Amino acid sequence: MNHQEAKDLLQTVLASDELSLIKVEVFRLSWQGKGYNIISDETGYDHDYIRKAGSQLWKSLSDSLGQSVTKRNFRPLLEERLVEASSQRKTVLEYPGAALSFSSPFYIERSAEEARAYAELNNPGCVLRIKGPKKMGKSSLMLRVLDQAETDGYHRVSVDLQQADRNILTDLDLLLKWLCLQISAQLGIKAELDDYWNPLIGSKLSCTNYLQQAILADLDAPVVLVINELNRIFDFEEVSQDFLPLLRSWFEEAKHNQDMQKLRQVLVYSTEVYVQLDLNLSPFNIGLAIELSPFSQEQVAQLGKAYGLNWHADGTLHNPVSILHTAVNGHPYLIQLVLYTLASKEGLIESPREEIENILSMSSKPGGLFHDFLTQLLSDLSANANAMSGFKKLHGDGDQKLLPIESYQLERLGLARIKDGKTLPVNHLASNFLLDAI
């Protein structure tokens, strides 16, 4: 049972009862048979706080079910209800591509770090960093982080740099004013920038003063500020060299400023920044980092079951899970496209392995399942000189050393990963399509 499943079940049983993160985690980990000491270690919460949250939870469940519920007996009491709910719920297929809804059975919680992400929001002045290439699930996780913030009673602000005009991204003063206006509007606060903006102290300090004095000082609860597509700013080095250290400075200032402690930053981006920054000024070596990786074979099997395909990951080469996983290197979006296609077919699939192989063999051709995705990838690669030169080196004859900027751009496109200082190719299906096209 993952965090969202635990939360959904509790909300069903408790109806209007408000659920804090700690109660959900006590429920989820207790379901796994773990004691309060282990729960305390895994969540980072104080043991007495865990025990108190558990006591409140069992009382709420007792009141709701009309019988005594304890840590020892809650699971068998609820398992029957869970089975009934599952049998009554008809799975509605969702076409892959968009962020998955909270109740979606197709969302795969990929690591214990996701629960840590929810817990991180409780740390004053925290920075949570969510990293991964396109179509890896960043938006789905981001929505769940925002949902958890709302559950915790926090204010929420979500800023997407894709919505900023290019002239804003190339001018630090305009960017910071744009950011302040976004925050004010979403919090329902009248923006009075002129009262705080002073050219004599500069844009960064003016922005910080506005954020602290006009926004945070009067808030009754912390505010979770999500900056999505932060990587858009990476292409404008002059602005990046000021904007990114500013985010770091807010984190540092929170250590001694109570108002700034109300700010909880969530930075969402596709890859590490290739901008020359002093390590002491970078926001990418602080806080909690969650890097969204490709699915494992076990996760592919889990997702297959959500689509009604009763597969198992047995490690053999001819297993449907292994074939699909290997072909696209566990890419979540491409795997979902295949599973959706299979689940949409009427009647029983006699040979899943042959069906998958047929889909994959046609997937990169015009009209094929992956053609739109691959065509967009080709366009992105062709428009990026550093990515193109790095791609040719990576797949060329001989051992040509890639420049750091080339590796960075390939990782950003999801065509490589950087591990132990080495740039390694990923997604052979996509690479073969691109090699044939360039």
Side-chain angles (χ1 to χ4, degrees):
M1 177 181 293
N2 64 32
H3 177 88
Q4 192 62 43
E5 290 169 339
K7 186 174 180 180
D8 288 344
L9 178 56
L10 278 176
Q11 286 178 331
T12 300
V13 176
L14 298 178
S16 62
D17 192 74
E18 289 191 9
L19 288 174
S20 63
L21 167 70
I22 186 59
K23 287 183 181 179
V24 176
E25 287 304 282
V26 167
F27 179 81
R28 182 178 71 87
L29 295 173
S30 295
W31 187 281
Q32 298 174 11
K34 296 178 179 179
Y36 287 139
N37 286 333
I38 296 176
I39 295 174
S40 177
D41 291 339
E42 290 194 11
T43 61
Y45 286 102
D46 179 76
H47 179 271
D48 290 338
Y49 185 52
I50 293 289
R51 184 176 293 278
K52 181 178 179 181
S55 177
Q56 294 171 347
L57 176 61
W58 312 135
K59 183 180 184 307
S60 296
L61 287 170
S62 298
D63 293 342
S64 179
L65 296 176
Q67 62 185 113
S68 177
V69 177
T70 67
K71 191 175 187 297
R72 293 180 181 275
N73 72 359
F74 83 99
R75 179 165 177 171
L77 290 175
L78 293 181
E79 279 182 331
E80 184 177 348
R81 183 181 289 262
L82 184 61
V83 170
E84 290 176 359
S86 298
S87 63
Q88 295 171 1
R89 184 172 61 244
K90 182 181 179 180
T91 300
V92 178
L93 296 180
E94 303 175 35
Y95 192 79
L100 294 170
S101 62
F102 301 121
S103 59
S104 173
F106 308 116
Y107 180 76
I108 303 297
E109 192 170 271
R110 287 180 288 188
S111 72
E113 282 193 318
E114 292 190 21
R116 290 177 59 204
Y118 305 138
E120 183 70 15
L121 297 180
N122 293 314
N123 293 329
C126 71
V127 172
L128 171 63
R129 296 181 284 116
I130 302 174
K131 172 190 172 186
K134 288 182 180 179
K135 302 290 188 180
M136 289 294 284
K138 299 191 300 297
S139 295
S140 295
L141 176 56
M142 180 189 74
L143 289 179
R144 283 158 177 76
V145 168
L146 286 169
D147 179 63
Q148 185 60 53
E150 183 176 43
T151 299
D152 290 340
Y154 296 167
H155 302 285
R156 308 182 309 167
V157 174
S158 181
V159 176
D160 191 338
L161 291 186
Q162 288 189 111
Q163 297 178 341
D165 295 342
R166 183 181 177 88
N167 68 303
I168 291 174
L169 295 175
T170 57
D171 185 313
L172 180 67
D173 190 67
L174 283 180
L175 175 62
L176 296 182
K177 286 181 177 178
W178 180 85
L179 178 63
C180 290
L181 288 172
Q182 290 282 318
I183 295 172
S184 300
Q186 293 187 39
L187 293 176
I189 297 173
K190 183 179 180 182
E192 298 178 332
L193 299 186
D194 291 342
D195 294 343
Y196 295 89
W197 229 261
N198 187 337
L200 295 178
I201 63 173
S203 301
K204 290 194 293 183
L205 189 53
S206 294
C207 176
T208 301
N209 288 343
Y210 180 82
L211 180 63
Q212 179 183 330
Q213 298 169 24
I215 303 291
L216 297 173
D218 294 330
L219 290 182
D220 56 353
V223 57
V224 174
L225 170 61
V226 174
I227 302 180
N228 192 24
E229 294 292 338
L230 181 61
N231 44 274
R232 278 215 66 197
I233 203 69
F234 299 171
D235 293 331
F236 309 104
E237 189 162 351
E238 278 194 24
V239 175
S240 293
Q241 287 181 336
D242 281 317
F243 182 71
L244 297 174
L246 177 62
L247 302 181
R248 168 70 176 251
S249 74
W250 293 344
F251 169 81
E252 299 291 351
E253 192 168 349
K255 295 176 181 178
H256 57 80
N257 185 310
Q258 289 189 345
D259 287 333
M260 294 301 290
Q261 288 175 4
K262 297 178 186 177
L263 180 65
R264 317 291 160 87
Q265 297 181 65
V266 180
L267 310 180
V268 186
Y269 52 102
S270 63
T271 189
E272 297 295 357
V273 57
Y274 188 77
V275 175
Q276 296 301 319
L277 285 179
D278 186 303
L279 288 178
N280 295 318
L281 299 177
S282 173
F284 301 109
N285 56 6
I286 56 174
L288 175 65
I290 294 184
E291 182 168 357
L292 297 184
S293 303
F295 282 161
S296 66
Q297 289 198 24
E298 289 73 18
Q299 289 164 331
V300 174
Q302 182 184 349
L303 184 59
K305 289 178 181 178
Y307 277 98
L309 305 167
N310 192 27
W311 296 348
H312 300 279
D314 61 11
T316 59
L317 293 177
H318 299 294
N319 181 281
V321 172
S322 178
I323 293 171
L324 178 55
H325 178 269
T326 301
V328 297
N329 193 47
H331 194 289
Y333 171 65
L334 300 182
I335 286 172
Q336 282 201 317
L337 281 175
V338 174
L339 295 178
Y340 175 89
T341 301
L342 291 172
S344 300
K345 290 181 177 292
E346 295 183 3
L348 183 67
I349 298 174
E350 294 184 3
S351 175
R353 178 171 65 86
E354 290 183 10
E355 195 75 32
I356 290 173
E357 289 175 341
N358 288 336
I359 291 174
L360 293 174
S361 67
M362 300 296 294
S363 62
S364 60
K365 301 183 186 309
L369 197 58
F370 301 161
H371 189 260
D372 288 345
F373 175 84
L374 295 173
T375 301
Q376 181 60 55
L377 193 56
L378 174 61
S379 175
D380 293 341
L381 180 67
S382 301
N384 190 320
N386 287 309
M388 179 65 80
S389 61
F391 184 78
K392 290 178 178 178
K393 288 181 182 179
L394 194 63
H395 295 279
D397 296 329
D399 186 19
Q400 299 186 69
K401 186 175 179 59
L402 274 70
L403 300 173
I405 184 63
E406 294 172 333
S407 298
Y408 153 72
Q409 294 290 2
L410 286 178
E411 185 186 40
R412 183 174 180 176
L413 294 176
L415 291 171
R417 65 186 178 99
I418 301 172
K419 184 177 181 180
D420 300 328
K422 296 182 179 179
T423 305
L424 306 174
V426 298
N427 200 336
H428 299 297
L429 186 148
S431 295
N432 290 336
F433 172 85
L434 296 170
L435 285 170
D436 289 339
I438 62 177

